[in-house]
Amino acid sequence: MRKLLFEILVKPPLTERAPAADESALAELARALEQAARVRLGRSLAIRQVDAGSCNGCELEIHALNNAYYNLERYGLRFVASPRHADVLLVTGPVTRNMREALERTWNATPEPKWVVAVGDCALDGGCFAGSYAVAGGVADVVPVDLHISGCPPSPVALLEGLLSLLEETARVD
């Protein structure tokens, strides 16, 4: 035990290197998303995140959108606490049987126009949790899905690109 504690104290922490900063591309992507939201909705985009039973990997990437590096608030994109104020539901994880009704209620409480984005591979079809007695299925098995952002977990940039494509696609349909 003493040897293990000594190794922990002596060795440097094992961390990954930070990704190369491409702040101009990120800023341009966020500005395009803000502009698309203003054109489509006439205001900023309000996002409600719903964890339907995930492992929290996708949530970590979604929460990174609010950190100092991505800082979506500066572009007018914001996360809201109530589905009654949301335009987009970001749903993560396979829908567990316990969360099925909560997801349906959240979807029903969200005013029109509303979009559902299934985030991560588990949200598509249940991922590695598919077939479990506790899983009702993917998000599309419970509520209509407008966009799926793949990845395990998808990066914050992939999330921004997905939201931008959702707004641009719905603007073309209307």
Side-chain angles (χ1 to χ4, degrees):
M1 183 67 165
R2 191 181 329 178
K3 181 182 176 186
L4 179 64
L5 290 172
F6 181 73
E7 286 179 16
I8 291 171
L9 291 172
V10 172
K11 287 185 178 179
L14 279 174
T15 58
E16 296 179 7
R17 292 187 178 175
D22 188 7
E23 293 181 27
S24 61
L26 179 62
E28 183 58 36
L29 177 61
R31 273 191 221 94
L33 184 54
E34 178 188 19
Q35 183 62 30
R38 294 210 182 271
V39 166
R40 177 70 177 99
L41 299 169
R43 57 180 165 71
S44 62
L45 185 68
I47 304 166
R48 172 71 172 125
Q49 192 270 323
V50 179
D51 180 356
S54 74
C55 67
N56 293 330
C58 295
E59 280 77 10
L60 291 173
E61 299 300 317
I62 290 171
H63 291 292
L65 293 173
N66 275 332
N67 70 19
Y69 181 74
Y70 294 100
N71 192 12
L72 286 188
E73 292 282 330
R74 68 181 163 175
Y75 299 109
L77 306 172
R78 59 192 166 86
F79 286 91
V80 294
S82 172
R84 288 179 174 79
H85 303 143
D87 303 310
V88 174
L89 296 178
L90 285 181
V91 185
T92 60
V95 181
T96 62
R97 296 194 190 280
N98 291 341
M99 284 298 294
R100 181 184 187 110
E101 182 181 349
L103 179 59
E104 290 170 343
R105 285 181 166 190
T106 302
W107 187 79
N108 289 330
T110 306
E112 295 289 340
K114 61 184 167 186
W115 301 285
V116 175
V117 178
V119 176
D121 294 339
C122 294
L124 177 63
D125 58 4
C128 63
F129 305 105
S132 168
Y133 67 91
V135 173
V139 177
D141 296 335
V142 179
V143 295
V145 172
D146 300 294
L147 175 70
H148 176 255
I149 302 174
S150 62
C152 187
S155 69
V157 173
L159 293 167
L160 290 175
E161 290 170 345
L163 289 171
L164 179 61
S165 69
L166 174 73
L167 289 173
E168 288 174 344
E169 183 62 31
T170 57
R172 276 188 229 120
V173 171
D174 291 344

